[in-house]
Amino acid sequence: MTVLQRVKSITHRICEQSKPTRDVYLDHLREAASRKPKRSALACANLAHGFAACSPSDKAALAGDVIANLGIITSYNDMLSAHQPFETYPNLIKAAAKEAGGVAQVAGGVPAMCDGVTQGQPGMELSLFSRDVIAMATAIGLSHDMFDAAVYLGVCDKIVPGLVIGALTFGHLPAVFIPAGPMTTGLPNDEKAKTRQLYAEGKVGREELLESESKSYHGPGTCTFYGTANSNQMLMEIMGLHMPGSSFINPGTPLREALTREAAKRALAITALGNEYTPVGEMIDERSIVNGVVGLHATGGSTNHTMHLVAMAAAAGIKLTWQDISDLSDVVPLLARVYPNGLADVNHFHAAGGMGYIIRELLDGGLLHEDVKTVWGGSEGLRAYTIEPKLGENGTVVREPVAAESADKKVLSTCKQPFQVTGGLKMLKGNLGTAVIKTSAVKADRHIIEAPAIVFDSQAALQDAFKAGKLDRDFVAIVRFQGPRANGMPELHKLTPALGVLQDRGHMVALVTDGRMSGASGKVPAAIHVTPEALDGGIIGKIRDGDVVRLDAEIGTLDVLEDPEVLAARPTPDVDISHNSYGMGRELFAAFRNVVGKAENGASVFGL
């Protein structure tokens, strides 16, 4: 098969396995679309509540069904750099809506927490669950049925996937996602990582570490490394939910504001009141999901999306599996080198050609579905996104074809000369269960690790052992009871500096965990999202110190090399995890921990 044939074959498989659930979803969508918001048919008290705080002119407009009303779902808060820029967006959107002959209202806010702040803290155990809370908060905001379309203001890790799930639940409404962009370049990410390792070794103090971190995370916008937040922005553009070229424009710039105004007007143009009705639930189909997965592989994106994309797809009735994601990785080349998969940050990525270049290269290589619907509309499909946005003389957005060649071939390459022939994200299977691994930043001589296990029940325990000098050897770190049911599946980035130091000392080390590492995982091989998790009786819970574990990222296996009968006979360990159930709001999420699904099914509480 050619590459295009293989991509189409996997897409066909996804369509076939999705047909029962997708058909039901589309039936529900069309039923909702047939009702449409009928504001003038609402009881007078209902409608009066809906526009009580509006201006007289907006009240008059909303009294009938002719003027489109745009709902704004916002993740604004002013503590977190990525969300702070959204403070000014509602007024921009309302003004743009008025210019377009419509009305806009803030329909609701959703929580937006930062894994960077909660890393290694109890609050991190709410992080993954926040995605589903965001989806539910989105539904509450839109449940008033006052809107003809919605725009979604979100950027970071769980926020965008949660907004997408919420938007697809209201799939009869058009949806446009509006980003805030990355912060400007600060201290290079590799220098920040070196300081973290020096701190882990006790060679620099807290003052030096804080200075380094503050120079890296220094202003409004997303963090500049290619983690989940910036992977989100890539996904929204390659799936056609952004205005073309809008993902990586810095906050507070005239072009950023022009793109926001344009997005608001476009959302009003694609409602059922006009001639370009584009309900998001029909726009996002199996081809759009495959395009997202292809983009994730080609750019070396976040492993968090092995769960988020599964959950997002399920919200549209589409069944995406880890096997689908892994099979696509086998045919998609790595075209970008962005930290931790390189030295560049997302600003360098954008300057080198960015999303326009990546999309064109993948289209020309037969790796993307071109004939998809997008919020931009028109007959070009995804080809319309092969551009570079610029600010026109009148303050509007103008778009030019993206440059023929990469402006920095160390950052962006071609399908003919990729940095790596596969996407570097692989599914692992073996007697340990199922897991995923990201190898794009891992050197080839570390793709296979076979070593004795050292078992930990928390990341703090591993850090303590490192500080005590007990880990200067070859080993596979087993960090268990970190799955969705055990404690909400926190990210375990506090492990990265210690394991990185040990690897730099020449030891063969790897991590195997039922927890997460996400897009900031780097040079140490890490088999993550192990399913079944330890609390579900997974074999990861039965491994003992000294058991030999083999991780093979080349053929995709993950095994503990012990007699199967011996493993089966071992009792499930009696580990006290009661401390995960209280403090920092964790009490409120007991129901989530009880019903959450497996990582391979999206780690969702919605029964997906």
Side-chain angles (χ1 to χ4, degrees):
M1 283 188 185
T2 65
V3 168
L4 177 59
Q5 287 171 332
R6 291 181 71 181
V7 171
K8 286 187 174 180
S9 175
I10 295 167
T11 306
H12 177 73
R13 183 175 76 203
I14 295 170
C15 290
E16 289 300 305
Q17 67 201 25
S18 303
K19 194 173 190 320
T21 49
R22 179 67 173 170
D23 286 350
V24 170
Y25 172 81
L26 290 175
D27 285 345
H28 291 168
L29 182 156
R30 287 159 188 160
E31 179 187 354
S34 69
R35 293 195 303 266
K36 300 178 186 176
K38 298 289 184 183
R39 287 178 290 273
S40 62
L42 286 174
C44 293
N46 299 129
L47 189 56
H49 277 86
F51 59 44
C54 291
S55 68
S57 60
D58 284 350
K59 286 182 181 180
L62 293 176
D65 296 322
V66 178
I67 302 299
N69 189 22
L70 182 61
I72 303 168
I73 301 290
T74 177
S75 63
Y76 164 71
N77 65 58
D78 66 4
M79 186 192 78
L80 302 176
S81 63
H83 308 100
Q84 184 269 348
F86 287 135
E87 179 180 11
T88 60
Y89 278 38
N91 285 339
L92 277 174
I93 292 166
K94 290 177 182 180
K98 185 162 288 189
E99 289 176 9
V103 177
Q105 295 178 293
V106 175
V110 301
M113 67 178 292
C114 176
D115 292 356
V117 176
T118 57
Q119 190 60 247
Q121 306 300 319
M124 173 57 87
E125 295 180 17
L126 307 186
S127 173
L128 183 57
F129 288 145
S130 77
R131 180 196 68 195
D132 294 359
V133 172
I134 289 161
M136 291 188 282
T138 299
I140 291 169
L142 297 176
S143 67
H144 301 97
D145 204 21
M146 289 279 293
F147 308 106
D148 301 282
V151 291
Y152 298 86
L153 313 184
V155 179
C156 276
D157 295 18
K158 265 57 67 184
I159 294 88
V160 167
L163 290 173
V164 171
I165 293 169
L168 289 169
T169 304
F170 283 75
H172 63 289
L173 295 178
V176 178
F177 280 66
I178 304 179
M183 68 178 69
T184 55
T185 299
L187 182 76
N189 286 292
D190 61 323
E191 291 186 28
K192 173 195 67 182
K194 288 176 185 176
T195 305
R196 287 180 177 179
Q197 288 198 181
L198 290 171
Y199 179 77
E201 294 179 277
K203 293 179 179 178
V204 300
R206 178 180 170 84
E207 184 176 344
E208 291 90 341
L209 179 64
L210 182 57
E211 181 182 7
S212 169
E213 300 288 341
S214 297
K215 286 181 178 178
S216 180
Y217 309 118
H218 63 91
T222 61
C223 310
T224 60
F225 66 85
Y226 195 52
T228 310
N230 289 315
S231 297
N232 283 337
Q233 304 318 301
M234 178 280 300
L235 284 173
M236 293 302 94
E237 185 147 346
I238 208 166
M239 290 170 67
L241 286 163
H242 272 176
M243 292 292 98
S246 65
S247 293
F248 298 117
I249 306 300
N250 299 123
T253 60
L255 180 56
R256 176 84 277 159
E257 292 191 359
L259 285 161
T260 299
R261 291 192 296 269
E262 179 188 65
K265 293 179 179 180
R266 185 61 193 162
L268 289 170
I270 58 177
T271 72
L273 295 174
N275 297 320
E276 297 182 72
Y277 179 42
T278 310
V280 68
E282 291 193 0
M283 191 196 97
I284 296 298
D285 61 12
E286 293 88 347
R287 296 167 302 167
S288 305
I289 296 294
V290 168
N291 283 351
V293 175
V294 169
L296 188 73
H297 293 320
T299 56
S302 169
T303 55
N304 270 329
H305 281 295
T306 61
M307 291 184 296
H308 294 328
L309 274 165
V310 170
M312 290 156 60
I318 298 169
K319 183 175 176 57
L320 177 72
T321 70
W322 280 2
Q323 190 65 59
D324 300 324
I325 295 172
S326 184
D327 288 350
L328 284 165
S329 180
D330 289 343
V331 300
V332 177
L334 181 69
L335 304 184
R337 285 286 189 201
V338 190
Y339 189 86
N341 169 34
L343 296 180
D345 68 18
V346 293
N347 293 309
H348 302 133
F349 167 81
H350 181 73
M355 289 305 302
Y357 178 92
I358 283 285
I359 292 172
R360 188 198 62 205
E361 192 64 25
L362 291 171
L363 283 172
D364 291 349
L367 287 155
L368 290 175
H369 295 281
E370 187 169 348
D371 58 336
V372 291
K373 293 181 180 179
T374 70
V375 296
W376 188 245
S379 60
E380 291 183 279
L382 198 58
R383 185 69 63 172
Y385 285 70
T386 62
I387 52 82
E388 179 182 358
K390 295 184 177 179
L391 192 68
E393 292 182 2
N394 59 355
T396 59
V397 182
V398 296
R399 291 176 169 86
E400 299 175 357
V402 71
E405 295 188 1
S406 166
D408 189 339
K409 294 181 181 179
K410 293 180 180 179
V411 179
L412 283 176
S413 192
T414 65
C415 287
K416 292 180 179 178
Q417 295 181 306
F419 296 116
Q420 189 171 292
V421 295
T422 68
L425 201 156
K426 200 167 187 69
M427 182 172 67
L428 305 175
K429 284 186 175 181
N431 64 6
L432 260 169
T434 307
V436 294
I437 186 169
K438 178 179 174 181
T439 61
S440 52
V442 178
K443 291 183 178 180
D445 64 351
R446 304 278 169 163
H447 286 188
I448 301 174
I449 303 288
E450 183 176 315
I454 304 179
V455 180
F456 304 94
D457 293 332
S458 70
Q459 62 177 332
L462 188 151
Q463 289 177 293
D464 290 343
F466 171 75
K467 291 173 184 176
K470 297 178 179 179
L471 301 180
D472 279 297
R473 49 181 149 152
D474 294 353
F475 71 101
V476 175
I478 307 295
V479 184
R480 60 191 188 178
F481 294 100
Q482 305 300 308
R485 287 194 60 218
N487 63 352
M489 206 178 189
E491 290 189 321
L492 305 174
H493 289 312
K494 290 290 186 180
L495 303 179
T496 303
L499 293 173
V501 167
L502 294 167
Q503 181 170 277
D504 288 349
R505 290 176 183 171
H507 299 302
M508 298 297 285
V509 297
L511 172 68
V512 175
T513 180
D514 47 12
R516 295 186 293 130
M517 285 290 280
S518 95
S521 55
K523 62 186 182 181
V524 177
I528 58 177
H529 308 172
V530 171
T531 306
E533 64 177 286
L535 196 65
D536 270 343
I539 294 297
I540 189 174
K542 296 189 176 186
I543 297 175
R544 295 178 179 174
D545 288 350
D547 288 348
V548 176
V549 174
R550 181 177 175 85
L551 183 162
D552 189 328
E554 293 184 359
I555 63 173
T557 58
L558 181 65
D559 293 287
V560 53
L561 306 182
E562 298 297 325
D563 187 290
E565 292 184 3
V566 172
L567 283 173
R570 287 178 182 173
T572 300
D574 184 16
V575 176
D576 182 9
I577 59 170
S578 60
H579 57 280
N580 296 337
S581 65
Y582 63 90
M584 210 58 65
R586 288 178 289 181
E587 300 91 334
L588 302 177
F589 287 81
F592 279 50
R593 291 190 294 272
N594 289 337
V595 302
V596 66
K598 295 179 179 179
E600 63 185 333
N601 295 328
S604 171
V605 303
F606 300 136
L608 305 176

